[in-house]
Amino acid sequence: MTDSKKNADRLAGIMKDDRYLAYLSHFNRDRDYFQCHEVMEELWLEEGRNPLLQGLLQAAVGLHHWDNGNPSGASKLMRAALDKLDGYADAVVGLDLRQLQLDLKASLNTLFGKDASFQAFKLQIHDETLQIAEKWEESHGRVK
């Protein structure tokens, strides 16, 4: 079993953690990448600085930097996220990590293209329980 597989298996329980649900809601609904950082950093530290969670954290912080006009910081964090997410299965902790990697790469291309204006994307959620939680969060306006 690879280190990436072990790290992902240890995280199966986070899909019920309110901080993880808040991360998803801040990312997809609010596009509040700073709040993504706040809730994910706490979870990342609690989970022993798991590289998968760090990659998710860095993806959000990269988008935060890009949205705030810091292309250098955005590029650095997006590339770090890609490095951390490399080697995991295509779908982990309810997310389509392959699509996230593709979206990060597309963002890097846009960031250094002719029109480098910020372009948000959503995390693709594949787990039915998380999809239900996300819909509930949206309908009730609930974000932690």
Side-chain angles (χ1 to χ4, degrees), residues 66-80:
W66 186 14
D67 194 25
N68 285 291
N70 179 0
S72 175
S75 172
K76 180 180 175 183
L77 270 293
M78 287 182 202
R79 290 179 199 284

Side-chain angles (χ1 to χ4, degrees), residues 23 25-27 29-37 64:
Y23 170 85
S25 183
H26 287 308
F27 199 108
R29 189 187 80 184
D30 305 332
R31 296 182 181 166
D32 188 340
Y33 306 111
F34 181 80
Q35 284 304 315
C36 286
H37 167 267
H64 173 73

